[in-house]
């Protein structure tokens, strides 16, 4: 174990719910302190994973003795669906299931069916693709709209080094094909780019998926959590990635689909598709951030880089009505001040932030 290892339980701090009085007279219904409205909810359904990606769950921290959450601590499907309905009432139109590896949660299809029953929700899921070939059809049948699949390289040795679980590229590619065949499209492929680790995989990845109808999104390596040993020098800026790809395969910008879209869109000039870049480090997009995150055990976080969350499970299990839970969510959102990526420094990167595998990416 290295000295950067922090017992994760320590980092799961709870914040008291904001009271009416704390909000001040300028608080506007539905908006946070920077005028942002809630639009997306990411729900983590497990903190466990069968990969040990070096930038997310480093093996020296998430080893055999690591204490994952016991089952009794997890939100049940009924609790998740109940909260999802309450969040829908606050303007949430899109729900992404994530983790850990969401497809490791047993009977996930049942949860998807329950969420698909809520009218007007766009339902998506992010997965490492390891069991997607087996599950794609059932996920679609349950009501999932689309998937995002993470894949950090097409090079066998590089990918195995990145996932640190000796998992082969071919099975993820089979999963992507199965998802496309099941109609979970358009598929997005997430590639985290870490300088010195997989930057040589950027061009082959762009080339492989060009013309496939799938959209590769290159993600800057972020200082989420407190265990991945992040350093600014390891970040390959998105501008550099766009330049590298554009030199080989000319690109032009595309307008965002909607305000607050995380990825900046680029399309190939020859009309053979598009890519995205997610520049959380070099071009912060906090001003339009409309996302909230619900952890596996029912803590609500209003920023990916949060140090503490609000205990919604405590409210549910303490007997709160839906109206009371809804009022609490309204106050939490109105009190929100988050803009971590705008204020990131080498010092903030060392803070005890909550882990990505727990909060949900
Ligand atoms: N296990 C699933 C997967 O890998 O797709 C879902 C959870 S994972 C935490 C969600 C996304 O976060 C993945 O695309 C992953 O690559 C990304 N991610 C994890 N750690 C990251 C980091 N330090 N910087 C940037 N992206 C990261
Ligand atoms: Fe698991 Fe996803 Fe984190 Fe990789 S990025 S360790 S697949 S949760
Ligand atoms: Fe949103 Fe926090 Fe990321 Fe800024 S740093 S874009 S507030 S999640």
């Amino acid at each position: 174990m290295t000295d950067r290892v922090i017992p994760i339980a320590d980092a799961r701090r709870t914040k008291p719910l904001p009271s009416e009085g704390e909000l001040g007279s300028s608080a506007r219904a539905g908006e946070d302190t920077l005028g942002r409205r809630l639009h997306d909810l990411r729900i983590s359904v497990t903190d466990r994973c069968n990969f040990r990606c070096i930038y997310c769950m480093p093996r020296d921290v998430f080893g055999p003795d690591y204490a994952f959450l016991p089952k009794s601590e997890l939100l049940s499907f009924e609790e998740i669906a109940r909260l999802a309905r309450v969040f829908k009432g606050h303007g949430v139109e899109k729900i992404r299931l994530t983790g850990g590896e969401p497809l490791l949660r047993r009977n996930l299809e049942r949860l998807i069916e329950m969420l698909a029953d809520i009218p007007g929700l766009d339902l998506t899921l992010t997965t490492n693709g390891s069991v997607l070939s087996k599950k794609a059809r059932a996920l679609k049948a349950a009501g999932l709209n689309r998937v995002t699949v993470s894949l950090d390289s097409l090079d066998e040795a590089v990918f195995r080094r990145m996932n640190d679980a000796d998992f082969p590229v071919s099975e993820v590619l089979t999963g992507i094909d199965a998802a496309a065949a099941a109609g979970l499209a358009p598929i997005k492929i997430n590639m985290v780019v870490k300088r010195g680790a997989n930057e040589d995989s950027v061009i082959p990845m762009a080339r492989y998926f060009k013309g496939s109808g799938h959209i590769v999104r290159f993600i800057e390596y972020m200082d989420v959590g407190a265990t991945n040993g992040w350093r600014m020098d390891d970040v390959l800026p998105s501008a550099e990635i766009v330049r590298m790809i554009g030199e080989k395969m000319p690109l032009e910008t595309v307008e965002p689909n909607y305000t607050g879209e995380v990825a900046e869109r680029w399309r190939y000039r020859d009309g053979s598709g598009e890519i995205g870049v997610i520049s959380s480090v070099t071009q912060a997009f906090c001003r339009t951030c409309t996302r909230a995150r619900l952890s596996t055990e029912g803590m609500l976080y209003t920023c990916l880089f949060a140090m503490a969350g609000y205990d919604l499970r405590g409210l549910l299990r303490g007997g709160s009505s839906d109206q009371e839970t809804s009022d609490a969510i309204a106050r939490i959102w109105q009190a929100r001040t988050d803009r971590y990526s705008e204020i990131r420094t080498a010092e903030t990167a060392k803070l005890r932030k909550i882990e990505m595998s727990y909060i949900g990416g």
Side-chain angles (χ1 to χ4, degrees):
M1 300 257 276
T2 62
D3 60 3
R4 62 186 163 78
V5 174
I6 291 157
I8 307 304
D10 284 3
R12 283 190 209 126
R13 283 179 288 263
T14 311
K15 283 202 243 188
L17 293 174
S19 64
E20 275 306 330
E22 274 171 66
L23 294 177
S25 54
S26 61
R28 297 191 28 187
E31 292 185 0
D32 71 6
T33 60
L34 297 174
R36 301 167 294 190
R37 287 183 175 275
L38 181 54
H39 180 265
D40 303 55
L41 180 66
R42 298 189 178 190
I43 303 177
S44 173
V45 292
T46 177
D47 59 339
R48 290 164 200 256
C49 189
N50 53 345
F51 284 13
R52 287 291 177 272
C53 300
I54 52 172
Y55 50 75
C56 178
M57 296 181 82
R59 203 170 268 285
D60 60 350
V61 179
F62 295 87
D65 298 331
Y66 183 78
F68 290 100
L69 293 169
K71 190 158 184 288
S72 60
E73 300 278 314
L74 310 190
L75 284 185
S76 67
F77 289 170
E78 287 69 25
E79 287 171 327
I80 293 175
R82 187 175 159 199
L83 284 174
R85 282 183 194 276
V86 174
F87 273 100
K88 177 79 185 32
H90 283 279
V92 165
E93 291 178 5
K94 187 171 166 186
I95 288 189
R96 176 174 298 279
L97 299 178
T98 177
E101 174 44 45
L103 298 184
L104 295 187
R105 178 90 184 243
R106 284 180 67 191
N107 297 327
L108 189 75
E109 297 83 349
R110 176 67 199 125
L111 173 65
I112 291 171
E113 279 171 3
M114 290 162 80
L115 295 174
D117 264 354
I118 305 173
L121 272 185
D122 183 24
L123 209 50
T124 66
L125 173 144
T126 305
T127 172
N128 62 23
S130 57
V131 293
L132 192 54
S133 61
K134 292 188 204 80
K135 300 220 164 198
R137 283 176 60 184
L139 293 169
K140 179 69 185 176
L144 191 70
N145 297 123
R146 284 182 314 286
V147 286
T148 297
V149 183
S150 302
L151 178 60
D152 294 329
S153 183
L154 293 166
D155 180 289
E156 202 59 54
V158 174
F159 183 54
R160 286 179 198 244
R161 261 201 310 277
M162 297 291 284
N163 67 55
D164 202 13
D166 215 21
F167 200 84
V169 174
S170 57
E171 288 197 36
V172 181
L173 293 178
T174 311
I176 292 171
D177 290 345
L184 291 166
I187 296 171
K188 291 180 184 150
I189 319 280
N190 276 0
M191 171 175 170
V192 175
V193 186
K194 185 174 177 196
R195 199 194 280 279
N198 64 341
E199 66 198 85
D200 292 346
S201 303
V202 167
I203 304 277
M205 186 73 95
R207 193 164 272 141
Y208 182 87
F209 287 106
K210 184 171 182 282
S212 68
H214 309 328
I215 301 169
V216 184
R217 295 156 5 131
F218 299 91
I219 304 178
E220 287 179 351
Y221 171 43
M222 296 184 285
D223 53 326
V224 232
T227 58
N228 65 9
W230 183 90
R231 298 175 316 144
M232 188 64 207
D233 288 352
D234 295 332
V235 178
L236 188 65
S238 291
E240 179 72 3
I241 292 171
V242 169
R243 189 193 58 72
M244 281 161 58
I245 298 172
E247 265 176 14
K248 308 272 183 205
M249 298 166 269
L251 291 166
E252 60 194 13
T253 52
V254 188
E255 286 300 305
N257 285 316
Y258 58 91
T259 313
E261 190 171 30
V262 173
E264 182 185 293
R265 300 170 64 199
W266 293 81
R267 75 176 149 233
Y268 295 111
R269 288 200 180 176
D270 64 6
S272 59
E274 68 177 80
I275 60 162
V277 287
I278 300 182
S279 324
S280 160
V281 179
T282 61
Q283 285 168 273
F285 37 76
C286 300
R287 290 293 145 156
T288 54
C289 178
T290 52
R291 289 172 295 285
R293 292 174 161 87
L294 186 62
S295 81
T296 315
E297 58 180 339
M299 302 273 275
L300 179 64
Y301 293 89
T302 56
C303 179
L304 180 55
F305 300 90
M307 309 263 293
Y310 300 95
D311 183 11
L312 295 190
R313 187 190 67 189
L315 285 183
L316 295 187
R317 296 193 184 170
S320 283
S321 66
D322 284 355
Q323 187 57 53
E324 285 162 341
T325 308
S326 174
D327 291 346
I329 292 169
R331 289 208 301 278
I332 291 167
W333 191 261
Q334 274 189 296
R336 177 181 189 243
T337 57
D338 305 289
R339 54 186 198 96
Y340 177 84
S341 287
E342 291 183 354
I343 56 170
R344 172 187 288 107
T345 63
E347 289 312 305
T348 61
K350 291 186 206 142
L351 294 171
R352 289 182 172 206
K353 298 178 264 41
I354 208 76
E355 291 298 314
M356 183 82 136
S357 54
Y358 163 78
I359 194 175

